[in-house]
């Protein structure tokens, strides 16, 4: 070999050392389009594509209620396979040359909806939907575009390895923020009475947010006894909707209705008999809310989509969910809705967790290894888990 090639041989042997990430693979949760079947596969470790990207080595990720809409085959990109998951915390392992406020080793939250690079526009980059494919966060590594704007620094020295604290921050990636924002969308003021429909992890954190923010009484509506017990443990009044009409149960205690109500279910809601009724929760919100009160739709709603390889059951979702405009008008209700934007609420929620005035990780029911993910999607779908988190060694 002529000496002219020598430098590149050194470079090559450096890249191929055991610590190198060249062509490295990672374990990641992938969606192939078959309902009730997620897979854990090897995928390439992502690398910097744009100068503004960062790569994060994920320490903890989670399974979310909105992942179940994919799992059940109702939503998702046709271009299978793609990576699932949109909630994570971890350490920055690489930064693009234009990243200025963050460095390798920083401890960060990756929000489900990251910055799109366009100010003044609300359409964020979403992880774990395949459309477009920014990758999933139920994986060992992620590439985060517009890292300076997208990543939420964690002001916490993790040398003690406090798992609870890490999980508290993880909840800010989506569900704590979504519950908190739902309350804001409803027009909430301290002293209000609040009915939260759905006591899945996001609904529980909406009830928790209402109590933190000074609600006078909070009702938590669900059918699953374990969820209602957890709601009661934080001080909410449990309402079991499959025992009798939840609106009547609440009105028996609040004759004028509650001042705020939240839909923390989204589509795929079921009635007392266990049958799908996608308009049921919005109807209940209008019925249970006092005149001049506010309602918020925080659960996911899609409709009018055709079935594809990635979402084989999408056509079975009704294109429109009916909502009575005359009832809204007669009661003079206000309404808010939309996807969560963690970046808008991050500072407040990070401060609450840092000061231990909020410990939202009380919703976590299991901490698992990524290889156990298929089993735990099933358990979560069957309401046998509150919130499942995935730890990487
Ligand atoms: C689940 O999906 C994977 C990937 O497509 C496939 O290999 C596997 O056979 C499926 N499992 C079942 C039980 O169908
Ligand atoms: C890189 O950044 C440009 C400019 O902001 C953007 O248009 C493009 O989509 C980005 N590419 C990737 C792969 O993220
Ligand atoms: C931080 O703590 C979490 C939880 O124990 C752990 O997964 C992670 O590896 C820790 N990181 C460091 C650098 O200690
Ligand atoms: C770990 O963090 C939790 C939640 O912030 C806190 O209540 C607990 O005291 C911490 N434990 C230790 C050992 O620092
Ligand atoms: C209500 O639903 C829960 C969970 O599905 C079930 O355990 C309970 O037995 C049901 N109760 C009634 C009265 O139907
Ligand atoms: C679904 O398919 C129909 C018929 O091909 C088409 O007219 C419609 O635009 C499609 N809807 C969506 C959301 O792609
Ligand atoms: Zn989520």
């Amino acid at each position: 070999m002529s000496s002219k090639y020598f430098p590149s041989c050194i470079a090559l042997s450096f890249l191929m050392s055991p610590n190198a990430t060249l062509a490295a693979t990672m374990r990641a949760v992938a969606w192939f389009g078959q309902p009730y079947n997620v897979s854990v596969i090897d995928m390439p470790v992502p690398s910097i594509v744009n100068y503004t990207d960062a790569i994060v080595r994920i320490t903890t990720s989670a399974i979310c209620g909105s992942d179940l809409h994919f799992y059940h085959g109702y939503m998702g990109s046709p271009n299978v396979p793609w990576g699932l998951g949109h909630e994570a915390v971890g350490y920055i392992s690489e930064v693009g040359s234009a990243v200025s406020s963050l460095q390798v080793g920083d401890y960060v939250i990756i929000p489900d909806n990251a910055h799109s690079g366009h100010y003044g526009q609300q359409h964020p980059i979403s992880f774990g939907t395949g459309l477009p494919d920014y990758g999933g966060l139920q994986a060992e590594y992620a590439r985060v575009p517009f890292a300076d704007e997208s990543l939420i620094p964690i002001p916490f020295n993790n040398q003690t390895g406090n798992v609870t604290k890490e999980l508290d921050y993880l909840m800010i990636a989506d569900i704590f923020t979504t519950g908190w924002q739902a309350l804001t969308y409803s027009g909430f003021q301290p002293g209000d009475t609040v009915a939260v429909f759905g006591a899945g992890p996001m609904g529980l954190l909406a009830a928790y947010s209402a109590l933190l923010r000074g609600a006078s009484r909070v009702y938590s509506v669900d059918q699953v006894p374990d969820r209602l017990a957890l709601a009661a443990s934080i001080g909410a009044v449990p309402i079991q909707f499959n025992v009798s009409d939840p609106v009547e149960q609440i009105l028996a205690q609040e004759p004028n209705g509650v001042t705020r109500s939240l839909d923390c279910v989204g589509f795929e809601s079921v009635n007392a008999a266990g049958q799908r009724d996608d308009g049921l929760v919005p109807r209940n919100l209008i019925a249970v809310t006092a005149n001049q009160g506010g309602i918020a739709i925080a659960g996911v709603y899609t409709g009018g989509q055709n079935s594809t390889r990635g979402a084989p059951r999408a056509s079975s979702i009704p294109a429109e969910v009916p909502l009575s405009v005359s009832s809204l008008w007669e009661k003079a209700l206000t309404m808010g809705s939309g996807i969560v934007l963690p970046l808008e609420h991050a500072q407040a929620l990070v401060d609450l967790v840092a000061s231990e005035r909020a410990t939202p990780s009380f919703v976590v029911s299991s901490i698992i290894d990524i290889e156990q993910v298929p089993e735990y999607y099933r358990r979560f779908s069957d309401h046998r888990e509150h919130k499942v988190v995935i730890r990487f060694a």
Side-chain angles (χ1 to χ4, degrees), residues 114-118 120-126 131-132 339 341:
H115 204 280
S116 65
H118 303 280
Q121 285 183 19
Q122 284 226 326
H123 199 77
I125 281 170
S126 300
L131 199 62
I339 63 163
L341 297 168

Side-chain angles (χ1 to χ4, degrees), residues 19-73:
N19 295 326
T21 53
L22 181 71
T25 61
M26 63 177 182
R27 298 298 279 166
V29 178
W31 178 244
F32 284 84
Q34 181 186 16
Y36 297 92
N37 180 13
V38 296
S39 305
V40 182
I41 64 171
D42 288 329
M43 282 191 178
V45 171
S47 52
I48 301 280
V49 175
N50 265 338
Y51 298 137
T52 47
D53 292 346
I55 306 298
V56 176
R57 176 178 64 81
I58 293 174
T59 54
T60 310
S61 180
I63 304 176
C64 180
S66 52
D67 291 325
L68 295 180
H69 297 308
F70 303 119
Y71 185 62
H72 296 158

Side-chain angles (χ1 to χ4, degrees), residues 303-306:
Q305 250 107 66
N306 293 315

Side-chain angles (χ1 to χ4, degrees), residues 5-15:
Y5 295 109
F6 187 59
S8 61
C9 287
I10 290 180
L12 191 63
S13 60
F14 169 74
L15 284 171

Side-chain angles (χ1 to χ4, degrees), residues 197 221-222 239-253 271-272 280 283-285 287-288:
F197 286 78
V221 184
D222 209 289
I239 301 287
Q240 192 163 355
F241 73 73
N242 60 341
V243 171
S244 69
D245 180 28
V247 173
E248 284 170 17
Q249 290 187 61
I250 294 171
L251 292 180
Q253 300 182 61
N271 62 21
L280 178 62
R283 281 201 303 283
N284 283 342
L285 299 189
V288 83

Side-chain angles (χ1 to χ4, degrees), residues 13 31 40 71 86-87 120 128 133 165 169 195 203 218-219 271 300 323:
S13 60
W31 178 244
V40 182
Y71 185 62
H86 56 261
E87 305 175 3
D133 191 4
K165 197 91 170 181
Y169 284 112
V218 176
Y219 298 90
N271 62 21
V300 173
L323 191 73

